[in-house]
Amino acid sequence: MKITGNYLLSANRDVLWKMLNDPKVLEKVTPGIKTLEAQGEDLYKAISEVKIGPVRGQFQGDLALKDKVEGESCSVVLDQKSKMGNVVAEIGMTLVQKEENQTEVQYTGEAKMSGMLARMGQRIMSGVVSTLSKQFFQAMEKELQDRT
């Protein structure tokens, strides 16, 4: 399943970059994340719980940041397992400075699912991914507002 989108955040690119590389911020703003525990540089053990429509379950696995270009871009790699199926996703993010305090996050990637998640169909799962993406960026925007 393809994942693409963009979101405009009220922060300059450097501030946003630091936040995206802070595990405490990621744990706070990523929907469903219960814990995000460092396992090495840019590698985390992630435990999450997702409850959106027919998708309800606890997921465990890894979250890694790779292909980092300081202040500009990186890839987020997720490998999550649950009783209802597994998800492996790689999403590239690019930070584009629009104005002094506005940065557009452009993201594109692909997710592969197995088990019941795959059987639910792309239409249902793309709705879940869209909802989770929106929740992530709204929480990031709130975190930015709380810091200013």
Side-chain angles (χ1 to χ4, degrees):
M1 175 177 71
K2 297 282 185 199
I3 300 168
T4 60
N6 60 347
Y7 200 93
L8 190 63
L9 290 165
S10 301
N12 75 42
R13 190 167 72 169
D14 294 333
V15 168
L16 190 55
W17 178 258
K18 288 176 187 164
M19 291 176 70
L20 287 170
N21 284 276
D22 183 340
K24 290 179 180 156
V25 172
L26 289 177
E27 183 178 66
K28 186 175 181 181
V29 303
T30 304
I33 290 283
K34 298 297 179 199
T35 62
L36 194 61
E37 183 181 308
Q39 300 293 301
E41 188 174 342
D42 296 330
L43 178 63
Y44 306 93
K45 178 180 178 183
I47 298 174
S48 59
E49 193 169 304
V50 176
K51 295 179 185 174
I52 299 175
V55 179
R56 297 178 185 277
Q58 186 170 12
F59 293 80
Q60 293 187 33
D62 296 324
L63 180 150
L65 299 175
K66 66 177 213 174
D67 302 328
K68 290 167 66 170
V69 176
E70 184 75 26
E72 293 181 18
S73 63
C74 68
S75 293
V76 177
V77 180
L78 293 166
D79 186 352
Q80 297 280 285
K81 296 172 180 22
S82 77
K83 291 180 181 178
M84 64 186 314
N86 303 328
V87 177
V88 176
E90 184 165 347
I91 300 137
M93 292 193 303
T94 303
L95 307 181
V96 180
Q97 189 76 48
K98 292 295 185 176
E99 293 182 21
E100 185 178 338
N101 285 317
Q102 285 195 323
T103 302
E104 182 179 57
V105 180
Q106 300 170 349
Y107 59 94
T108 184
E110 189 169 344
K112 295 178 182 163
M113 292 165 267
S114 63
M116 187 175 16
L117 293 173
R119 289 191 296 275
M120 284 184 192
Q122 184 166 339
R123 197 164 123 204
I124 290 172
M125 291 310 298
S126 65
V128 170
V129 168
S130 176
T131 298
L132 291 172
S133 298
K134 186 176 181 180
Q135 288 174 354
F136 172 82
F137 287 114
Q138 288 172 341
M140 183 64 84
E141 188 71 52
K142 182 179 182 321
E143 183 68 16
L144 285 163
Q145 289 171 0
D146 290 349
R147 289 175 175 228
T148 56

